[in-house]
Amino acid sequence: MTSAATEREFKKWRLWGVNKFLEANAALGMEQVDNGRPPTLDLVQSRYFKDKDEADELLTEARSSLREMELKHVILGACDFLDIFPLRTSEENGNVLLTHRNVYRTFGKKEAQGMRLYAEARHAYLRFRRVRDINKLSISQFTEDYLSTNLLMYEYPGGSSEQGLFSTTEVGVSAFDIKLTTSADLSDQADGETTKSTEPSNNVLHTLFELIKHTSYKHYDASNQGWDAENKLEEMKDEDMRYLIVRLAHDAVPESDTRWSKDSSMDHSVVGFLSFMITQEEKENVVYIYEIHMSEHFRGCGLGRHLFNVVEHVGRTTAMDKSMLTVFKSNTRARNWYASRGYEVDEISPKPRKLRGGRSIESDYEILSKHLHDKSNKKNKH
Ligand SMILES: CC(C)(COP(=O)(O)OP(=O)(O)OC[C@H]1O[C@@H](n2cnc3c(N)ncnc32)[C@H](O)[C@@H]1OP(=O)(O)O)[C@@H](O)C(=O)NCCC(=O)NCCS
């Protein structure tokens, strides 16, 4: 889920929490401590929204999805509201200041239990805010805070590539530039806007999409999900997606026989890329590697390893718990390669499903991860 969508979920339950709290305690004749006015729904909404329609929409949504409610966020919402707009009961009800304890009681929790839920929700929210705030950064700010520019270049130490097709003399350079970019910037670099290629069209998003198709179509096609171009493009355009795009240094373009595509609408300066997202997965803060694809002519030069080093560096500097990725089980080469980089099957990876009659069905993909702060991973570091 993107940070915008998760934030909406948080807002929904917090708003629901305040609403329910006020409704349930209306008989107390509540008034605001600083001005003696009763709390209104508008006041509640002003805490979370600029737009009243959005608040109405979220309340309706909350009402129809109560089964998914996480009570701790509901409690946090009401407690936070009380902290910002202190309320007391009316004079006739004793003029008593309402506290978090009243919130816990409203939601049927004893004090210790309520305090625990409140603390858990606050902790979860602060962790989420970290992800959201990082995703709001511009590329230059992100680079300044979490990367160092020397990671955005790579020098091939020499020799020939895995395929034997690439050598320093062939294209005249052994150095690569890596550009960090957002999905929005990719789409903006629409046809003919960029400078590196002499080809008529330069849509980088289109190029990256075609590179995925070029290296991995067979794995998608053989899987249960199949190749779904529309879905893939949607995912690529996700607002929190970031790209590390590898090109030959000095604006060089590979000779035509070492290009991964002969299609003239490609940006031929692109020889590979990695896409990732700073996100939450099952409540853990993670850097999720969505794609890594190298042109076959440039494999085995250490570029994939370098891109992983960069993304894991980002994961550590942003204080994510782990880096994660999904791989088709049919992609044995990539699975071996990930294992060589220290990735192991994650606990959330789908388990075989037992059918009636004892047969079990295995998923055709697995989720791998690597803890970024765990000393026990040292043995796997390369
Ligand atoms: C997987 C992939 C990204 C690797 O990138 P790469 O640039 O070729 O890899 P590197 O040159 O950085 O590999 C570096 C190291 O991995 C080792 N290696 C290479 N291929 C390997 C393999 N199949 N299994 C295990 N180790 C491998 C190299 O010997 C080298 O080892 P070292 O670090 O000890 O020196 C690349 O092969 C690729 O694009 N594959 C097709 C697309 C794909 O399947 N992507 C994954 C989608 S989930």
Side-chain angles (χ1 to χ4, degrees):
M1 206 190 280
T2 62
S3 28
T6 313
E7 176 141 45
R8 195 170 179 281
E9 279 294 290
F10 274 119
K11 270 187 186 171
K12 179 169 87 183
W13 296 122
R14 298 168 118 221
L15 177 64
W16 182 255
V18 188
N19 241 23
K20 282 285 126 188
F21 177 73
L22 295 184
E23 251 175 50
N25 295 285
L28 299 174
M30 285 172 286
E31 44 189 50
Q32 294 175 61
V33 167
D34 50 359
N35 60 20
R37 294 203 202 110
T40 58
L41 189 57
D42 282 351
L43 179 71
V44 179
Q45 286 168 355
S46 73
R47 167 76 184 93
Y48 296 109
F49 304 96
K50 287 189 199 85
D51 176 2
K52 185 176 178 321
D53 290 345
E54 192 193 356
D56 289 344
E57 188 185 307
L58 284 194
L59 284 177
T60 311
E61 205 180 288
R63 205 166 290 120
S64 64
S65 57
L66 285 176
R67 254 187 286 149
E68 293 146 36
M69 176 174 84
E70 281 201 74
L71 187 62
K72 62 183 177 199
H73 299 304
V74 171
I75 289 178
L76 178 67
C79 289
D80 267 3
F81 179 78
L82 275 191
D83 291 345
I84 291 167
F85 302 106
L87 300 177
R88 64 179 173 228
T89 61
S90 64
E91 206 165 321
E92 134 199 0
N93 283 313
N95 234 331
V96 181
L97 193 68
L98 296 174
T99 66
H100 289 191
R101 204 180 302 164
N102 297 80
V103 175
Y104 306 149
R105 210 177 298 141
T106 302
F107 294 103
K109 297 290 164 199
K110 297 212 172 80
E111 187 166 4
Q113 223 179 355
M115 277 170 74
R116 187 174 47 77
L117 289 172
Y118 171 82
E120 271 177 29
R122 172 153 297 286
H123 181 68
Y125 185 61
L126 288 177
R127 280 171 63 76
F128 161 71
R129 266 217 336 226
R130 174 159 192 82
V131 166
R132 182 201 63 183
D133 292 348
I134 292 170
N135 280 320
K136 279 190 180 157
L137 295 177
S138 66
I139 283 294
S140 56
Q141 194 62 52
F142 184 92
T143 307
E144 195 177 321
D145 292 355
Y146 302 118
L147 262 171
S148 59
T149 41
N150 66 342
L151 285 170
L152 295 179
M153 41 190 126
Y154 176 75
E155 194 95 27
Y156 175 43
S160 60
S161 74
E162 196 178 275
Q163 307 289 321
L165 290 169
F166 168 69
S167 73
T168 52
T169 50
E170 197 166 6
V171 287
V173 285
S174 59
F176 298 85
D177 285 335
I178 298 162
K179 190 172 176 211
L180 177 68
T181 183
T182 60
S183 55
D185 287 344
L186 275 192
S187 311
D188 288 349
Q189 291 170 26
D191 297 28
E193 290 294 314
T194 47
T195 52
K196 284 193 175 161
S197 165
T198 51
E199 304 295 349
S201 166
N202 226 346
N203 186 341
V204 183
L205 180 68
H206 171 61
T207 299
L208 303 190
F209 172 81
E210 288 298 327
L211 180 53
I212 299 174
K213 200 167 155 189
H214 174 73
T215 72
S216 302
Y217 179 85
K218 59 177 186 297
H219 297 295
Y220 281 93
D221 193 43
S223 74
N224 287 329
Q225 72 182 79
W227 173 256
D228 181 342
E230 210 175 305
N231 199 29
K232 179 55 73 188
L233 266 173
E234 267 322 294
E235 181 185 278
M236 291 179 77
K237 287 190 213 161
D238 189 298
E239 61 183 346
D240 294 340
M241 197 71 82
R242 286 190 169 84
Y243 291 81
L244 291 162
I245 303 175
V246 185
R247 293 182 163 92
L248 297 183
H250 315 303
D251 292 352
V253 177
E255 299 293 332
S256 55
D257 60 340
T258 55
R259 291 178 187 179
W260 56 269
S261 166
K262 305 296 171 216
D263 181 341
S264 62
S265 70
M266 296 298 131
D267 179 343
H268 289 293
S269 65
V270 174
V271 299
F273 78 100
L274 179 152
S275 62
F276 68 95
M277 199 191 283
I278 298 291
T279 187
Q280 289 200 311
E281 198 63 42
E282 300 288 322
K283 318 277 184 226
E284 286 201 280
N285 284 4
V286 304
V287 53
Y288 210 110
I289 299 166
Y290 273 76
E291 310 283 352
I292 177 161
H293 302 271
M294 297 303 308
S295 154
E296 57 269 37
H297 306 295
F298 295 89
R299 288 182 198 156
C301 303
L303 276 163
R305 177 183 51 208
H306 183 72
L307 291 178
F308 260 50
N309 288 345
V310 175
V311 85
E312 288 171 12
H313 174 89
V314 165
R316 287 190 191 93
T317 51
T318 53
M320 296 297 111
D321 303 314
K322 49 189 178 182
S323 62
M324 292 187 100
L325 56 90
T326 306
V327 62
F328 286 121
K329 287 184 181 164
S330 61
N331 195 351
T332 319
R333 278 179 66 86
R335 285 168 77 199
N336 289 340
W337 190 80
Y338 295 142
S340 78
R341 310 252 67 80
Y343 284 74
E344 291 172 353
V345 178
D346 191 83
E347 62 210 13
I348 67 162
S349 192
K351 312 263 178 309
R353 256 186 325 124
K354 277 249 182 285
L355 296 179
R356 264 184 271 162
R359 214 159 61 84
S360 76
I361 306 189
E362 286 240 2
S363 155
D364 52 17
Y365 68 91
E366 61 187 1
I367 299 174
L368 307 180
S369 66
K370 175 170 167 179
H371 282 274
L372 294 174
H373 304 282
D374 185 352
K375 288 192 182 68
S376 67
N377 256 314
K378 277 215 164 123
K379 62 178 190 317
N380 290 322
K381 280 196 189 130
H382 292 257

